[in-house]
Amino acid sequence: MRNWRYLVTLLAVLSIIGVCYAENISVELLPSSISKKVNDSFTLDLVIKNIPEDTKCGGFDAKIYYNPNIINLTNINLSSISNNAALKNTVINNSDGWGYISLLWSSNEPYGNFTIATLTFKTLNEGSTNISLDEVAVSNTDGTKYSNVIVKNSTVSITSPKPDLIVENISLTNFITYQNNTIPVIIKNIGEINATKKFNVSLYTDAKLIGSVEVSGLNVNESKTLYFTFAPTENNNYTVVAMVDSSNSIIESNESNNKYIMSIPSIEKPISLNLIPSNILTKTDETFTINITLNNITSDRPAKGIDGIIIYDSSTLTCEDFKFLINSTENLQNISYGNGNITFSIMGGVINTSTPIAQITFKGLKVGTSNIYLNNVVVSDINGYKFNKVTINNNTSITIEGPNIKILNISTGQLYYRIPATINITITNNGHQDIVNKSFDVKLYADTKEIGTLTVDNLKVGEVKTLQFNWLPEDLKTYTIVGVVDENNIISEENESDNKLVVKKTVVEKPISLKIYKNVENNSLITASIDLINIPKYRPCGGMDVYISLKNLKLVGINTLGISNYTVENNTLFITLYNISKEGSFNIANISFSITNNTYSAIINKAVISDNQGHKFKLVNIINNIVDLEYIEKFVIVNKNISDIIETDNIEYIIGNNYNITVLPLKTEKDELTIPILPNKNNTLTISNDTIQRLNEVEEYSKNLENITITNTDEINNIIEKNILPAIKPIISDGFNITNITDEEPKVIENKIISRIKFKAINTSQKGFVIVRIPIGTLNIDSINVNNGTANIILKENDTISPFGWYKIPKKGILEITLIKDPEVTVTLSAPITTTEESSSTTTTEESSSSSSSGGSFEYYYTGGSSHYSPVIGESLKQTENIKSESVKEFVSKAKLILGSPVDLKLSGKELKEGINTINKPIEIKSDCILVGGPVANPTVKKYINYFPVKVTNNYPGAKKGVIEKQLINGHTVILLAGSDRWGTKAAVEYFKQLDDIPDEPIFVEWKDGKAVKIEKP
């Protein structure tokens, strides 16, 4: 009580003494605001700030006011600084709503910022009240009161606990348009107490109420998912609003968080219509079906009606039937047919699953491709809404397959003027459908003139048929041969562009020969024979006029074929023959002459020969064997000092179409000079000692090349440099120079060494020729090419009517080239690479064959634009009597026959030629030849089998089957007669003998019932 009085006295003194001024001193209740629940306790700090250090705080006095209905002050806890005060007093009066604090320091007075006390309050009721300071007095150590003290009060808000309802989420990303969508709405009580009363949750889309759900209550932190149903009718973004306690039934701690807003897009679920064909490949006159299938339909949005148009190509397809596969409960369906389209509509029942709705049956009309697709499709649901997202799979392409007739080949042998020819047209069906019970024509034209028409009734897929047309070429020219199948398009084909094949075929004159020779000489009488050689089959000789110039001969008598007339005037015997009608090689006249002088001649200088239809033979070689040296010296002068080495009884003078040829046989040299006599050539050619000397020089070089072996390129290079290049010189030259003699570096190709020799033959006059001899020894001739600046030409052996020249082998180991033009010449020589053991082997069949070809009479023939003459022994003609065709017979007569098996020789080879030995190693092809036997039996066939289009093996073409095929190898014509076994080879040989000509395309044969028959390609 005494302290209280002291404080009152102190305050009175302070008021008398005066006021002390200070800046920024404040008395504050902290924190300045606070929120609490009913029955909570809280504290405030009473703080003084900014007391100056020099004057310090000597006393403090203040009242704290508050609303006692809301809060009560339960404690005033003085700080340690306040407890150091000499005098201190606190009072709490809750009934009136105030508290009091009074302090006086006598020492250690505080300064700066410090806490006076901590006030503890208890909340009583909900509400808000200010806790304010009043009658605040702060003095310094002298008792002087600080002025302008700033007072800062505090505010407290008291609330009671409530629920707080929110929409936590709408768990949906998008709507499906035109069908019911379930919308999950999740609500939660994030308040402090349970919501025990009922309340509503409402859902809105674009401000339109979808529905409300009543919730009976929601505990603290409890969540509930409520479900709403909504069927959008547009593909839009919808504003969806969910509102909890939409009727404000619940008093919440926060009424502002009851709404949840989100934008949800509505997307129409796509459906599809598929066209499903039973087959995308069909054939003409065959049917197939296409199902129209409705897909991705569910019970959420069933379909009810479908309209559309089927489009197709009516030129390739026709609709046989259209039927719905679903029922129309309202009996509403319609089908109408147009040209290439089908319009359909159906209003069915409830379609709530993927299903085929219709089936269409089509039939193929013609070959082609038709796209089948849907157009103007409308699908509606059971509520009448149109499906806007309809995918139509229209990639249905139907291919109507059919047959396809193709001309594989037009083949024929060499076409000869006025000789019936067979032209084969090979056709196939390389399509996908048999041609059955239908016919089509195959036509053949020569230029624009029709040769013939053949009808084919059936042609299955893969079947090959060869049709034969007979034709008589009536002109010497190149014809355009055109084969056409199905010209009137009776058959619908996959490809109509390959129904024609065009080839060029040149018709040439088949050369014949007229030969006069001395048959018998007896004292002062001789008998001269005149033979016709190679009169072609189907064109027999009908008659002829012959002019024979006689020298020192007097006609004694004449005996001829047919009917003849003759006269002798001015030493010219003129013979007319007719009604001969004969073909082949035969004698037409035997004439007896008396000799009036030892030097005589009978020379046919003109002959007009016609066939039995009166058409003239235009290619006639006249071979004169009764010629004296004096006649020849009109063209070729033989020096007297060498005339005795000329075999005058065997001089030949051959009159050809382009130029004539003089053949001078040499007695001692066993050689001959074949000299072209060019037309309009005024000067004569002289054969002198120099000519014979040059022949001898080449032969000497040739002897150096006998019995040589070649194992590497250095050896052949040495041979060429030392023994071949120095010997290359003209034997006879008429206006030509030989220059630039070179050789290329030898190369090894496979198992042989190749070397090339080149030189230029320069014509220094407008007309002339040159004969060059080259020693080659045992080297093979692969080819001889001449280049005249515009073209490369391959010289052929004994091709004496070529405008460029020819080559021959006059003696073993010597090559003779005759040139009429002035080209650059390339001679390709080769030699097999041999070992020491091989070099001692015996002479091959090829060598023995070439050495046995000398002597005998000459036979002329023409094939493929070139003519040849080659010696044929009379016995050879007997060996080929069973060969049907003259051209085949001619080829067999001149060609080398190469066999590897004694079995093939005995069974087949002897039917072609006799006196042929077999070989046991491959040989080089350096002339026209016939290979007999397959690659196993014949080593040469094995070496060259890959050159041929058909590769014969033990398995192909098969048992007792063989093939006849022709190929050009090293510039030479090679015929292969081979089979998979010995009987197949025999079939090839026997059928080859019955051919009309050498075939251009392979022919397959079979040995059947003891004879050879032609078969299709296996």
Side-chain angles (χ1 to χ4, degrees):
M1 186 68 181
R2 194 168 45 185
N3 291 339
W4 171 253
R5 288 176 182 170
Y6 171 77
L7 289 173
V8 171
T9 302
L10 177 61
L11 292 172
V13 171
L14 290 173
S15 63
I16 293 173
I17 292 174
V19 178
C20 176
Y21 292 95
E23 295 181 358
N24 299 324
I25 295 175
S26 65
V27 178
E28 301 177 11
L29 288 174
L30 298 177
S32 61
S33 65
I34 194 167
S35 296
K36 289 294 179 180
K37 298 290 190 287
V38 175
N39 294 324
D40 281 348
S41 293
F42 65 92
T43 61
L44 294 177
D45 289 331
L46 178 58
V47 178
I48 296 178
K49 296 181 178 180
N50 301 320
I51 297 296
E53 184 178 359
D54 56 346
T55 56
K56 299 182 182 179
C57 178
F60 174 81
D61 198 27
K63 268 191 174 183
I64 303 104
Y65 288 95
Y66 53 90
N67 187 343
N69 295 320
I70 296 177
I71 59 174
N72 279 342
L73 177 62
T74 59
N75 184 37
I76 298 175
N77 183 24
L78 294 176
S79 68
S80 59
I81 292 175
S82 297
N83 280 324
N84 288 332
L87 297 174
K88 45 187 177 285
N89 185 32
T90 60
V91 178
I92 298 175
N93 185 352
N94 282 319
S95 59
D96 293 330
W98 57 268
Y100 175 73
I101 299 174
S102 179
L103 301 170
L104 182 63
W105 286 269
S106 59
S107 63
N108 296 322
E109 294 88 348
Y111 61 89
N113 300 333
F114 55 91
T115 300
I116 296 294
T118 299
L119 310 178
T120 302
F121 294 90
K122 183 174 178 61
T123 61
L124 301 176
N125 294 300
E126 189 174 14
S128 180
T129 180
N130 290 326
I131 302 174
S132 57
L133 297 171
D134 197 11
E135 300 177 18
V136 176
V138 182
S139 61
N140 60 16
T141 53
D142 295 334
T144 304
K145 181 180 179 182
Y146 289 105
S147 62
N148 298 324
V149 174
I150 300 169
V151 177
K152 293 183 180 181
N153 300 317
S154 181
T155 301
V156 63
S157 296
I158 313 300
T159 60
S160 60
K162 297 181 183 63
D164 188 7
L165 303 177
I166 64 168
V167 177
E168 191 172 37
N169 190 22
I170 298 175
S171 57
L172 187 70
T173 57
N174 64 271
F175 294 128
I176 305 299
T177 313
Y178 300 113
Q179 68 182 52
N180 288 327
N181 295 262
T182 298
I183 307 172
V185 177
I186 302 172
I187 62 172
K188 188 176 182 179
N189 183 357
I190 61 171
E192 297 169 306
I193 63 174
N194 297 336
T196 57
K197 293 182 180 181
K198 295 179 180 179
F199 60 90
N200 291 328
V201 178
S202 300
L203 186 69
Y204 300 85
T205 58
D206 289 349
K208 181 180 179 181
L209 179 65
I210 297 300
S212 295
V213 178
E214 184 179 75
V215 182
S216 58
L218 196 62
N219 295 331
V220 173
N221 292 324
E222 181 184 3
S223 295
K224 280 188 178 180
T225 301
L226 309 177
Y227 296 96
F228 296 83
T229 300
F230 173 55
T233 57
E234 294 180 357
N235 292 321
N236 284 329
N237 288 328
Y238 285 85
T239 300
V240 181
V241 178
M243 184 174 291
V244 63
D245 192 24
S246 54
S247 302
N248 291 321
S249 302
I250 305 297
I251 299 174
E252 302 177 63
S253 59
N254 185 358
E255 296 287 355
S256 65
N257 60 357
N258 288 3
K259 186 185 293 185
Y260 188 95
I261 302 173
M262 71 179 295
S263 179
I264 301 178
S266 185
I267 303 170
E268 185 175 356
K269 187 176 180 180
I271 63 172
S272 65
L273 279 168
N274 291 341
L275 297 180
I276 302 176
S278 60
N279 199 339
I280 62 171
L281 296 175
T282 188
K283 295 178 174 59
T284 57
D285 297 326
E286 290 186 1
T287 60
F288 65 96
T289 60
I290 285 188
N291 284 351
I292 305 175
T293 302
L294 186 61
N295 297 309
N296 303 322
I297 294 294
T298 67
S299 57
D300 293 329
R301 190 188 179 192
K304 187 177 181 68
I306 302 168
D307 296 24
I309 301 174
I310 289 285
I311 308 294
Y312 62 94
D313 183 358
S314 60
S315 68
T316 56
L317 296 175
T318 181
C319 179
E320 297 284 291
D321 185 39
F322 185 106
K323 62 181 178 181
F324 288 108
L325 301 179
I326 56 175
N327 295 323
S328 55
T329 55
E330 299 177 28
N331 199 29
L332 295 174
Q333 61 175 258
N334 181 61
I335 303 169
S336 61
Y337 300 91
N339 184 21
N341 62 79
I342 308 165
T343 303
F344 64 91
S345 63
I346 184 170
M347 189 66 69
V350 177
I351 305 171
N352 54 19
T353 185
S354 298
T355 184
I357 62 167
Q359 185 178 83
I360 316 164
T361 302
F362 288 102
K363 183 172 77 172
L365 290 179
K366 71 173 186 178
V367 172
T369 299
S370 174
N371 290 321
I372 302 177
Y373 57 94
L374 282 163
N375 200 8
N376 297 342
V377 173
V378 177
V379 182
S380 56
D381 61 21
I382 56 174
N383 296 313
Y385 289 109
K386 173 184 174 183
F387 284 87
N388 296 301
K389 286 193 173 182
V390 181
T391 302
I392 302 175
N393 296 319
N394 273 332
N395 58 344
T396 303
S397 179
I398 304 298
T399 299
I400 301 92
E401 298 177 325
N404 190 64
I405 312 167
K406 182 178 182 179
I407 301 178
L408 295 176
N409 187 31
I410 297 177
S411 63
T412 180
Q414 176 62 58
L415 299 176
Y416 294 108
Y417 173 65
R418 305 290 315 168
I419 296 178
T422 297
I423 301 179
N424 295 322
I425 296 184
T426 302
I427 62 171
T428 188
N429 180 355
N430 64 350
H432 297 84
Q433 186 178 28
D434 294 339
I435 300 175
V436 181
N437 299 326
K438 287 186 178 180
S439 299
F440 61 90
D441 289 339
V442 180
K443 292 186 177 182
L444 186 66
Y445 297 87
D447 293 339
T448 57
K449 184 178 180 181
E450 183 177 335
I451 293 176
T453 300
L454 295 176
T455 300
V456 179
D457 294 326
N458 300 296
L459 191 63
K460 295 182 178 180
V461 173
E463 185 179 3
V464 177
K465 288 186 176 181
T466 298
L467 309 177
Q468 289 188 348
F469 292 81
N470 296 320
W471 180 48
L472 183 67
E474 296 179 345
D475 202 354
L476 285 167
K477 69 173 189 175
T478 297
Y479 282 89
T480 300
I481 306 297
V482 182
V484 181
V485 296
D486 193 26
E487 191 174 44
N488 297 320
N489 292 325
I490 302 299
I491 307 298
S492 177
E493 300 179 61
E494 294 179 358
N495 183 4
E496 298 286 356
S497 66
D498 59 358
N499 286 6
K500 179 189 290 187
L501 184 63
V502 179
V503 297
K504 298 286 188 178
K505 292 291 182 179
T506 300
V507 176
V508 298
E509 176 80 9
K510 192 163 189 178
I512 65 171
S513 298
L514 182 66
K515 181 176 181 180
I516 184 170
Y517 58 95
K518 183 169 59 176
N519 197 353
V520 178
E521 181 175 358
N522 185 11
N523 297 323
S524 60
L525 291 176
I526 67 166
T527 300
S529 294
I530 301 177
D531 290 352
L532 271 175
I533 302 171
N534 294 336
I535 299 299
K537 189 177 181 181
Y538 306 114
R539 195 186 176 195
C541 176
M544 61 188 297
D545 293 338
V546 180
Y547 297 84
I548 306 173
S549 294
L550 303 177
K551 177 183 176 182
N552 297 326
L553 292 176
K554 183 178 181 180
L555 179 65
V556 175
I558 184 169
N559 184 25
T560 66
L561 281 180
I563 301 172
S564 65
N565 292 308
Y566 63 89
T567 60
V568 178
E569 186 176 345
N570 297 326
N571 293 322
T572 298
L573 172 60
F574 171 71
I575 306 173
T576 295
L577 296 93
Y578 54 97
N579 285 353
I580 298 175
S581 191
K582 194 169 183 179
E583 59 191 37
S585 299
F586 52 90
N587 177 262
I588 61 166
N590 291 302
I591 310 170
S592 298
F593 295 103
S594 62
I595 303 171
T596 62
N597 191 291
N598 288 335
T599 59
Y600 59 87
S601 63
I603 298 173
I604 301 176
N605 51 37
K606 182 180 179 182
V608 178
I609 307 172
S610 58
D611 59 24
N612 59 355
Q613 300 298 316
H615 297 283
K616 179 182 175 182
F617 287 95
K618 298 180 180 181
L619 197 58
V620 180
N621 292 304
I622 302 174
I623 306 171
N624 289 289
N625 273 139
I626 308 176
V627 184
D628 66 336
L629 190 58
E630 184 179 341
Y631 182 83
I632 294 300
E633 288 184 338
K634 293 179 182 179
F635 320 104
V636 180
I637 297 175
V638 179
N639 284 353
K640 292 183 178 180
N641 57 351
I642 65 167
S643 60
D644 57 340
I645 68 171
I646 304 296
E647 291 187 14
T648 55
D649 287 344
N650 290 317
I651 294 174
E652 278 191 346
Y653 181 66
I654 303 168
I655 299 175
N657 280 53
N658 294 322
Y659 44 81
N660 301 333
I661 292 176
T662 296
V663 180
L664 298 178
L666 306 179
K667 293 179 182 179
T668 58
E669 307 298 330
K670 296 183 179 178
D671 201 348
E672 65 183 19
L673 293 173
T674 303
I675 305 168
I677 308 300
L678 302 181
N680 302 320
K681 185 72 172 174
N682 297 324
N683 62 310
T684 56
L685 187 69
T686 300
I687 306 298
S688 64
N689 278 330
D690 290 340
T691 307
I692 304 303
Q693 180 64 32
R694 286 190 287 269
L695 291 174
N696 293 334
E697 288 176 3
V698 174
E699 187 163 3
E700 287 301 317
Y701 277 108
S702 177
K703 290 178 180 179
N704 295 335
L705 302 179
E706 293 178 355
N707 301 321
I708 61 171
T709 58
I710 297 173
T711 60
N712 55 56
T713 56
D714 289 339
E715 289 178 353
I716 195 170
N717 196 53
N718 184 58
I719 289 169
I720 290 173
E721 294 289 341
K722 291 184 178 181
N723 292 288
I724 295 181
L725 295 184
I728 297 177
K729 57 185 64 179
I731 302 301
I732 302 175
S733 176
D734 184 10
F736 268 79
N737 289 330
I738 301 299
T739 63
N740 294 9
I741 301 175
T742 60
D743 67 321
E744 293 182 356
E745 193 67 26
K747 296 178 181 179
V748 177
I749 300 177
E750 295 180 347
N751 62 340
K752 64 181 181 179
I753 300 174
I754 301 294
S755 183
R756 290 184 174 88
I757 298 169
K758 293 185 176 181
F759 62 87
K760 285 186 177 180
I762 300 175
N763 192 347
T764 59
S765 63
Q766 290 186 347
K767 293 187 178 293
F769 70 94
V770 65
I771 299 174
V772 179
R773 285 198 174 186
I774 303 173
I776 59 173
T778 57
L779 297 178
N780 299 319
I781 302 169
D782 280 12
S783 65
I784 301 174
N785 291 67
V786 294
N787 187 325
N788 64 351
T790 58
N792 280 312
I793 298 97
I794 297 176
L795 291 188
K796 297 183 179 181
E797 189 173 7
N798 298 321
D799 188 7
T800 57
I801 67 168
S802 167
F804 299 97
W806 66 89
Y807 78 91
K808 61 184 290 189
I809 307 296
K811 301 182 71 172
K812 182 179 177 182
I814 296 175
L815 168 65
E816 180 179 291
I817 301 175
T818 301
L819 299 171
I820 299 172
K821 300 290 184 180
D822 53 349
E824 181 181 64
V825 181
T826 301
V827 179
T828 302
L829 302 173
S830 67
I833 300 175
T834 59
T835 62
T836 305
E837 290 78 5
E838 290 174 332
S839 65
S840 61
S841 62
T842 58
T843 303
T844 65
T845 301
E846 185 177 20
E847 292 171 342
S848 62
S849 297
S850 62
S851 63
S852 65
S853 64
S854 60
S857 60
F858 287 100
E859 179 177 357
Y860 286 77
Y861 63 96
Y862 182 81
T863 303
S866 64
S867 294
H868 307 258
Y869 72 92
S870 59
V872 176
I873 301 175
E875 186 181 10
S876 298
L877 292 175
K878 295 180 180 178
Q879 294 168 1
T880 57
E881 285 179 354
N882 57 354
I883 296 177
K884 174 183 176 183
S885 164
E886 288 297 326
S887 60
V888 175
K889 185 183 297 185
E890 292 161 5
F891 185 84
V892 173
S893 298
K894 79 174 182 68
K896 293 181 177 64
L897 188 63
I898 302 174
L899 298 95
S901 165
V903 174
D904 287 336
L905 174 61
K906 182 178 179 180
L907 193 65
S908 306
K910 69 178 184 179
E911 299 297 329
L912 292 173
K913 282 187 177 183
E914 294 181 356
I916 301 298
N917 298 321
T918 58
I919 61 170
N920 55 15
K921 65 178 181 179
I923 62 175
E924 293 293 322
I925 291 176
K926 61 179 183 179
S927 62
D928 293 351
C929 60
I930 301 172
L931 304 179
V932 177
V936 175
N938 192 326
T940 301
V941 174
K942 181 179 180 181
K943 178 177 181 178
Y944 290 101
I945 188 63
N946 289 328
Y947 284 68
F948 292 91
V950 177
K951 311 300 184 291
V952 178
T953 67
N954 285 344
N955 299 317
Y956 188 84
K960 295 188 177 182
K961 294 175 182 175
V963 66
I964 303 167
E965 47 187 332
K966 166 187 166 184
Q967 188 57 273
L968 196 67
I969 301 176
N970 297 337
H972 304 291
T973 300
V974 181
I975 303 298
L976 175 63
L977 307 175
S980 294
D981 52 28
R982 66 185 64 177
W983 293 106
T985 298
K986 183 174 179 62
V989 171
E990 291 300 321
Y991 199 84
F992 177 69
K993 290 157 54 179
Q994 304 307 313
L995 293 176
D996 291 328
D997 209 334
I998 304 297
D1000 291 327
E1001 301 294 331
I1003 297 175
F1004 291 88
V1005 294
E1006 182 178 4
W1007 189 257
K1008 190 174 183 181
D1009 299 330
K1011 62 181 179 179
V1013 295
K1014 183 179 178 182
I1015 61 172
E1016 297 294 338
K1017 180 179 180 181

